[in-house]
Amino acid sequence: ADSFASRVSHIDSMAEMLKSHGLKNGDIIVGVDGKKTDPIADTAELYIKLRKTAGDSVTLDVLRDGQKLSMPLRTFRMSFRK
């Protein structure tokens, strides 16, 4: 109840291709780098967007099938051409 408790509902095809994480649909992210709450961010995704920069690595605390896992996640930097 006192964590991000964000359920994974979609895996981006780019993240699958880059193998930036091992998340699966239905996983529940309860923490990021040991943080479970934030004064501003109410989801793990928002916390990462606000508190981390592109290219950072973080560790997710994940619940999968009733078991708690620690899972590395690599954020990636998007490049855009003009």
Side-chain angles (χ1 to χ4, degrees), residues 10 18 29 34 49:
H10 173 75
L18 294 174
I29 302 169
K49 285 180 179 180

Side-chain angles (χ1 to χ4, degrees), residues 19-71:
K19 297 182 186 335
S20 62
H21 59 74
L23 290 171
K24 296 181 178 180
N25 283 332
D27 285 351
I28 300 172
I29 302 169
V30 294
V32 179
D33 285 341
K35 297 280 189 182
K36 296 182 184 270
T37 60
D38 185 80
I40 298 171
D42 59 352
T43 66
E45 179 182 18
L46 183 57
Y47 177 84
I48 292 168
K49 285 180 179 180
L50 292 174
R51 306 291 185 212
K52 304 295 176 179
T53 58
D56 282 351
S57 292
V58 299
T59 301
L60 302 177
D61 298 323
V62 177
L63 294 177
R64 179 185 291 165
D65 299 326
Q67 294 186 340
K68 189 173 181 181
L69 308 168
S70 287
M71 186 174 301

